[in-house]
Amino acid sequence: MTSPLSGIRVLEIGDRIATAYCGKLLRDAGADVVMVEPPAGHRLRRYRPAGVPPSAGDSPFFSFLSGGKRSISSPTVPPELVDSADIVILGSTPAEAADLGLDVDEIACRTSVITVSNFGWSGPWIDVPATEFTLQAWCGSTGSRGEPERPPIAVGGDLGEFIAGSYAAFFALAAHRGGGPFDMSVLEAMTTSMQVFSWLRKELMLLEVLGRSTEVPSVERAKDGYVGISMATGQQWQDFCAMVECPDLADVPELRFQVGRWEQRDLIRARTADFFATHTVAEIVELAALFRIPMTAIGNGETLSSMDHFIERESFLSHPSGFRAPRAPWRMSATPPLPPALPPALGDTDSPWTPRESRAERTGLPLDGVRIVDLTAFWAGPTATHLLGMLGADVVKIESVQRPDGMRFAGGFREDVERWWEYSWVFHGVNSGKRSITLDLGSEEGRALFGRMVAEADVVVENFTPRVMENFGLSYDELRGFNEQIIEVRMPGFGLDGPWRDRVGFAMTMEQLAGLAWLTGYPDGLPTAPRGACDPLAGVHAAFLTLAALEHRRRTGQGQLVELPMIDVVLNASALQVIERDVAGVLLTRRGNRGHEFAVQNVYACAGDDQWIAVSVRDNDDWHALKAVLRQPVWAHDLIYAEDTADLIDGHLADWCKDQPRDETVSAFLAAGIPAAPVVQPPDVIDNAALQARGFFQTLDHPLCGPLPYPRPPVTGHFVNSAAPLLGQDNAQILGSSLGLTAQDLARLEDDKVIGSWPLGL
């Protein structure tokens, strides 16, 4: 078996996790990836998280991200190397690129380029300093999380970098198909992934979205540990109430939705505390599986690799560098990922490639002419098809009146409108640009019409639990009967096999299980889920793999089955925990906002009501700049910036900030070159100057909701061409005009509930 990207030459330039993970994804799919490193080596060669002693040799995290790549050591990028590459991934600002001897406009004429930077290469913030921590504050993620009486809390780990890296890999392949060059903003990638389109929520639900919170229930203390809970539907809440023996709570209308449960959090926690305290984690998870409620043990670096599901599926492999690490998060029936490999020695390659042929010119969007049948629901799957549609694919979303996309109902209820399910802000955020039909796949006629659509399609994407497609009689073998070259992308929560195959799970379930929740939260408090960001993380991976499978089919004419379990994606994003437990025997855990990379980092209260600033002091240069901003205080004169002085610096900085105005303080820090950001509430990101200047919000009229600011993908350009569709709005066009059904046929199908535009039971 070959790899889908065999023979594609990728030049990886940059020292951030996002570019390293982008290169890893491309390498694992078969590309030949060459890193250009400075003479001192890649920054991540020396990376060890707080609490882990430094050691000789390359860091294990670098080995995980860079295994199988090659290395060239040079202070600048040789022009002949660029000319011989198929794809250039450039993680830099324009000024940094110039220092490397690169002119991106000139390079883009010769090869496929994607730039990756904090704020993009256009707009007012090109050179503004930032870290993942301050970007979380800018994008509204931090401001929405935590207890109201305590500071807002950022997501632990490097989730934003992994999100950005997966987007970069997707756009790298899109550029290879003839698109681009693509100018990608990490802030935009995080804004569309690490908060739930709250500017749309404010617009559509006609309410203010202020303050921080956690889900209720979310992570609870059980008899022998922590259990994670994630519910997205009213039915799951009712089943939960029955399970914890509080059936009366199910009868309270306000508690069907998270907003109401948050307001009644003290009551719910008091009523359910005895149940959790008297049952073990294993008992609770087993019982929840019977009720089909998403619940899981809270995993961490010590427990993950010994869980039975991961053992049976070989989710962790022995890395040749001497530790266990997650395998590549996908399985492809014709083109499996490459196995783990050693990282390159610094400068192990001189001239890796011979000159390549000139790139063929192509106009239009990279996926023009590609037809996608979209069976996905909620957030992860629709993110994948949304990205594919934004780049030109014709995406037909299929729901049914029996079971519409559950995200239509997860956004709350408006009593002032008739079709309230058309107002869900998350549905709008990831379904613009698609067409919509309804088909009851449980009916013979529905399956027949579906088969006719598959016969004319390139890709089918679905994120049901594994049993659903087989129960419909629509396994991959059946799909190949309709179309021998079809690509099917399946996105089960836990995989197509293994002990947990049929468990229900949402993104927060995976975040709780895979260790991201373990690293997020107050040091003296409960683990806290990042709040669903792994839905879009999995979705972008699925879009990337769709492009990889299309590339393989372009070369061979062969379709295939692609399996992308969300849990495997999240295990990769939290890989550091298992790796460091193996290598150093250290269990990484919650450090609040302090993080694991910089000695001094936190959110600090400023003057005024609930005004917070996020600050990262990265190194000695930032420390000297900070002392200048603070006007060289006596306490700091002889103080050396280090781990053992971090608490002292942190305390003095907190004392100073509490009397300062927030926005002026942010400006002072940024002017001094210190990464800082206001901790903004999610709806307020719509006022962000960089996002506005780069056209991130693209306004379109929706037939019921009016003009709405839809997000585009995190690269510059105009990609949003139609609003999110009404349920079944394209039945007549697609089933009638395209498939040839008459008006009488459509009327009969609607009478029989095979199609329709109104959910049953409402």
Side-chain angles (χ1 to χ4, degrees):
M1 292 184 179
T2 60
S3 297
L5 305 185
S6 294
I8 294 179
R9 304 166 171 184
V10 177
L11 192 61
E12 177 193 315
I13 306 166
D15 65 357
R16 65 190 305 158
I17 293 171
T19 49
Y21 187 62
C22 171
K24 172 178 167 55
L25 290 174
L26 292 163
R27 178 268 165 190
D28 289 350
D32 181 13
V33 179
V34 174
M35 301 184 299
V36 177
E37 301 187 68
H42 197 293
R43 175 183 71 90
L44 294 177
R45 287 186 183 271
R46 301 175 294 279
Y47 176 82
R48 298 307 291 269
V52 177
S55 60
D58 292 333
S59 77
F61 192 44
F62 174 81
S63 298
F64 168 69
L65 291 171
S66 299
K69 301 176 184 177
R70 297 191 285 166
S71 168
I72 284 182
S73 178
S74 174
T76 59
V77 180
E80 64 273 13
L81 193 59
V82 174
D83 288 341
S84 58
D86 296 305
I87 299 170
V88 175
I89 303 156
L90 178 55
S92 76
T93 64
E96 292 165 343
D99 290 341
L100 292 169
L102 296 174
D103 181 331
V104 171
D105 289 337
E106 191 264 335
I107 293 172
C109 297
R110 311 194 319 266
T111 190
S112 302
V113 181
I114 173 167
T115 59
V116 181
S117 61
N118 290 325
F119 301 105
W121 280 37
S122 64
W125 292 4
I126 295 173
D127 296 312
V128 168
T131 63
E132 154 132 2
F133 180 67
T134 62
L135 290 171
Q136 285 193 41
W138 281 119
C139 81
S141 173
T142 303
S144 69
R145 188 180 302 100
E147 300 286 340
E149 65 276 8
R150 303 192 70 176
I153 205 83
V155 176
D158 299 291
L159 182 56
E161 288 287 317
F162 279 91
I163 289 169
S166 62
Y167 271 111
F170 170 76
F171 286 113
L173 283 192
H176 185 62
R177 289 180 63 92
F182 289 116
D183 168 22
M184 186 183 130
S185 155
V186 176
L187 173 65
E188 292 171 7
M190 292 170 65
T191 299
T192 200
S193 304
M194 296 188 73
Q195 62 129 316
V196 194
F197 310 110
S198 290
W199 66 90
L200 283 169
R201 178 182 181 183
K202 183 176 180 180
E203 185 98 17
L204 288 163
M205 300 309 292
L206 306 180
L207 50 80
E208 293 293 314
V209 187
L210 298 173
R212 49 195 169 275
S213 64
T214 57
E215 278 62 41
V216 179
S218 179
V219 176
E220 307 295 336
R221 283 189 176 90
K223 187 176 181 179
D224 61 343
Y226 298 109
V227 63
I229 307 158
S230 175
M231 291 180 285
T233 69
Q235 184 61 54
Q236 287 170 343
W237 167 248
Q238 291 182 333
D239 293 339
F240 170 80
C241 293
M243 189 187 95
V244 299
E245 301 172 1
C246 296
D248 57 302
L249 295 180
D251 297 329
V252 181
E254 294 80 8
L255 301 185
R256 290 186 61 201
F257 303 108
Q258 272 295 339
V259 172
R261 294 204 288 272
W262 173 248
E263 293 172 350
Q264 298 292 324
R265 59 190 179 277
D266 292 337
L267 168 67
I268 294 170
R269 289 167 178 168
R271 291 289 307 279
T272 61
D274 284 347
F275 173 85
F276 288 110
T278 55
H279 291 78
T280 66
V281 171
E283 290 169 345
I284 294 169
V285 171
E286 184 178 357
L287 186 59
L290 297 176
F291 279 89
R292 299 198 61 74
I293 303 169
M295 290 196 192
T296 184
I298 300 299
N300 58 42
E302 184 173 34
T303 62
L304 282 168
S305 59
S306 62
M307 292 182 178
D308 59 348
H309 183 76
F310 300 143
I311 291 173
E312 183 167 323
R313 281 180 52 85
E314 297 182 336
S315 299
F316 293 91
L317 300 177
S318 294
H319 195 281
S321 294
F323 50 82
R324 288 169 296 178
R327 64 186 299 155
W330 68 83
R331 303 181 185 190
M332 301 173 80
S333 60
T335 55
L338 294 178
L342 290 169
L346 177 62
D348 73 342
T349 300
D350 292 325
S351 300
W353 302 313
T354 58
R356 60 166 174 76
E357 297 178 2
S358 299
R359 184 174 62 150
E361 291 298 323
R362 177 171 173 170
T363 59
L365 291 170
L367 295 179
D368 281 344
V370 173
R371 288 162 292 189
I372 310 285
V373 175
D374 178 7
L375 292 173
T376 67
F378 289 98
W379 194 4
T383 294
T385 53
H386 186 241
L387 269 178
L388 298 167
M390 293 296 97
L391 292 193
D394 177 16
V395 178
V396 177
K397 183 177 180 69
I398 300 180
E399 303 171 73
S400 69
V401 295
Q402 291 80 8
R403 292 191 66 180
D405 184 342
M407 199 54 87
R408 290 186 182 272
F409 307 121
F413 176 77
R414 276 184 60 173
E415 295 182 348
D416 61 321
V417 293
E418 185 178 39
R419 287 186 278 182
W420 57 270
W421 58 87
E422 302 289 3
Y423 290 75
S424 166
W425 66 93
V426 189
F427 183 88
H428 279 267
V430 290
N431 286 288
S432 61
K434 301 178 185 179
R435 298 192 289 166
S436 168
I437 68 168
T438 48
L439 278 180
D440 177 14
L441 298 182
S443 70
E444 192 170 328
E445 285 186 290
R447 288 191 297 275
L449 290 168
F450 175 75
R452 292 177 62 188
M453 293 184 65
V454 173
E456 301 299 323
D458 297 289
V459 184
V460 174
V461 188
E462 61 91 2
N463 64 338
F464 299 122
T465 53
R467 58 191 174 85
V468 173
M469 289 296 280
E470 279 73 12
N471 288 348
F472 283 143
L474 296 172
S475 68
Y476 179 60
D477 286 339
E478 270 85 19
L479 297 190
R480 289 190 65 209
F482 301 129
N483 180 346
E484 189 173 339
Q485 292 187 318
I486 196 69
I487 295 166
E488 183 182 16
V489 180
R490 303 192 67 178
M491 302 175 63
F494 295 99
L496 298 178
D497 55 23
W500 303 348
R501 172 183 185 270
D502 293 319
R503 282 191 187 179
V504 179
F506 295 113
M508 284 194 293
T509 314
M510 311 305 165
E511 294 163 0
Q512 292 161 347
L513 172 60
L516 291 177
W518 178 259
L519 285 189
T520 302
Y522 306 107
D524 59 348
L526 297 171
T528 304
R531 194 168 251 168
C534 289
D535 264 326
L537 178 67
V540 180
H541 278 74
F544 163 74
L545 291 168
T546 301
L547 294 189
L550 286 168
E551 173 65 17
H552 173 73
R553 195 182 69 176
R554 182 189 66 79
R555 302 178 183 190
T556 66
Q558 182 183 26
Q560 61 180 314
L561 172 64
V562 180
E563 176 193 353
L564 181 81
M566 189 189 299
I567 187 59
D568 290 353
V569 174
V570 187
L571 289 175
N572 273 260
S574 60
L576 181 66
Q577 296 182 59
V578 173
I579 292 171
E580 292 295 359
R581 180 64 178 173
D582 260 15
V583 174
V586 174
L587 177 62
L588 301 179
T589 189
R590 293 176 295 290
R591 285 169 50 89
N593 290 303
R594 299 291 289 272
H596 285 88
E597 184 170 6
F598 307 119
V600 177
Q601 175 176 278
N602 217 331
V603 299
Y604 301 99
C606 291
D609 182 30
D610 209 30
Q611 299 287 293
W612 300 85
I613 181 176
V615 182
S616 295
V617 183
R618 299 165 293 185
D619 49 31
N620 271 320
D621 289 343
D622 283 354
W623 169 230
H624 291 305
L626 176 64
K627 288 193 289 185
V629 172
L630 302 184
R631 299 185 178 180
Q632 303 295 343
V634 173
W635 62 265
H637 279 180
D638 299 319
L639 199 62
I640 297 173
Y641 175 84
E643 276 292 337
D644 58 3
T645 61
D647 289 345
L648 180 61
I649 297 172
D650 178 74
H652 280 290
L653 186 53
D655 286 342
W656 182 83
C657 284
K658 71 179 188 298
D659 298 320
Q660 309 300 317
R662 185 192 70 177
D663 292 348
E664 289 85 344
T665 304
V666 170
S667 297
F669 282 140
L670 294 179
I674 302 166
V679 179
V680 300
Q681 288 297 317
D684 296 336
V685 299
I686 200 165
D687 299 321
N688 182 286
L691 297 179
Q692 287 193 337
R694 285 172 51 84
F696 178 69
F697 306 104
Q698 300 186 349
T699 300
L700 288 174
D701 275 320
H702 183 272
L704 295 181
C705 306
L708 292 175
Y710 286 101
R712 60 152 169 75
V715 292
T716 50
H718 184 85
F719 298 101
V720 188
N721 295 311
S722 62
L726 301 173
L727 181 65
Q729 74 171 29
D730 299 296
N731 283 344
Q733 180 193 46
I734 294 172
L735 301 177
S737 300
S738 299
L739 296 188
L741 272 62
T742 66
Q744 291 80 4
D745 292 331
L746 294 174
R748 179 181 55 79
L749 290 172
E750 188 157 357
D751 287 341
D752 293 341
K753 309 300 187 231
V754 177
I755 66 172
S757 58
W758 198 280
L760 293 184
L762 296 180

